[in-house]
Amino acid sequence: MSQPSVLAALLSGLRGGSIEVVDLTSPLSASTPVIQLPPQFGQTQVFELEEISRYDDRGPAWYWNNFRSGEHTGTHFDAPVHWVTGKDLADVASVPAGRLIAPAAVLDFSAAAAKDPDFLVEVDHIKAWEADNGPLPEGGWLLLRTGWDARAQSQEEFLNADENGPHTPGLSPECARWVAEEAPVIGLGVETVGTDAGRAHSFDPPFPCHSHLLGSDKYGLTQLQNLGSLPPTGALVVAGPLPIVSGSGAPARVLALVERS
């Protein structure tokens, strides 16, 4: 007798509800928050739609749009070439498709971030999580839940900036280096506007998640939502960035497959 098909079992689980699809993607619109750099630097484009036709004289039977957007607007994928440390590594179109489907470890620091928006994850936090849940997944994602997705409808609340700059949680410089160089994961996923903490401009090196992870041929996922619907281990993430040739990143539809009893 032939063995049961793995893909057939997956399809059966999806249809029967024993496998849930959780959308981790923030809807993309003109109101989607975008990062703001100091004024001397170039700025990313907010998302814009330009209507081509809508069942009218411009096209009587069809509706469609042009759109304009930065590569790093909304839920998006950071390719290694995005940072100077990875300038000779992969653009987003060159990321192997097999690496876009990977297991996830979800570390929940939402309570700490609620008390302190500048909260930083240290290596000891991750090791404590591993003591309770097992090692980080080989070739998987480290997903950082901070509760920041609740702010995603407001540019001001999402960036949480004052005269000293933005205040958002993230990894400490040492933790960023450890994740890049010692952890078995392929990348870091966060709910904030970028993979680095808000005050990372003053770290050594500046923006250590970008510097260390992308320079180590790892990836970033940002502006994720609904990480609270995922278990600490066991979820499978499907990250689908647009394969922009020479692109430093791209908006992405990010999904998680979760087994439910």
Side-chain angles (χ1 to χ4, degrees):
M1 295 179 62
S2 62
Q3 294 295 317
S5 165
V6 174
L7 291 179
L10 173 62
L11 181 59
S12 177
L14 291 168
R15 288 177 172 174
S18 62
I19 299 176
E20 179 185 1
V21 180
V22 180
D23 197 344
L24 307 182
T25 315
S26 177
L28 190 55
S29 73
S31 62
T32 298
V34 297
I35 195 169
Q36 290 182 336
L37 300 182
Q40 67 266 33
F41 298 118
Q43 305 295 323
T44 192
Q45 170 71 42
V46 298
F47 183 82
E48 293 180 353
L49 278 182
E50 176 194 14
E51 187 174 276
I52 302 172
S53 68
R54 194 180 182 102
Y55 327 121
D56 53 28
D57 291 343
R58 300 168 298 169
W62 53 90
Y63 164 56
W64 58 341
N65 302 287
N66 293 317
F67 70 85
R68 186 176 185 217
S69 177
E71 296 172 325
H72 300 267
T73 297
T75 302
H76 64 270
F77 186 101
D78 288 350
V81 75
H82 176 44
W83 212 249
V84 65
T85 52
K87 64 184 179 65
D88 297 320
L89 300 175
D91 64 20
V92 70
S94 302
V95 174
R99 302 193 84 186
L100 300 177
I101 303 175
V106 183
L107 282 62
D108 187 353
F109 297 104
S110 55
K115 294 178 181 178
D116 178 11
D118 288 318
F119 172 77
L120 298 178
V121 178
E122 303 288 353
V123 176
D124 285 347
H125 290 123
I126 298 179
K127 290 188 178 295
W129 182 93
E130 288 184 306
D132 293 333
N133 298 280
L136 296 176
E138 184 77 33
W141 287 98
L142 170 60
L143 302 183
L144 190 64
R145 185 188 176 212
T146 57
W148 218 256
D149 57 340
R151 299 169 174 252
Q153 303 307 312
S154 166
Q155 171 87 3
E156 181 177 354
E157 292 182 11
F158 198 67
L159 298 187
N160 196 36
D162 59 18
E163 65 277 5
N164 298 314
H167 299 275
T168 60
L171 303 186
S172 73
E174 174 56 27
C175 190
R177 186 206 62 77
W178 184 87
V179 171
E181 299 178 5
E182 300 186 43
V185 296
I186 61 168
L188 171 70
V190 299
E191 297 170 332
T192 47
V193 73
T195 53
D196 273 294
R199 54 195 175 103
H201 57 87
S202 63
F203 291 171
D204 183 18
F207 306 103
C209 286
H210 284 79
S211 182
H212 289 310
L213 270 77
L214 300 182
S216 296
D217 201 24
K218 294 188 176 184
Y219 313 125
L221 287 174
T222 75
Q223 287 182 248
L224 299 174
Q225 295 195 339
N226 301 320
L227 293 185
S229 298
L230 305 187
T233 64
L236 187 67
V237 169
V238 182
L242 297 173
I244 302 170
V245 175
S246 299
S248 71
R253 188 73 180 263
V254 183
L255 308 175
L257 305 183
V258 181
E259 288 191 76
R260 304 298 191 194
S261 58

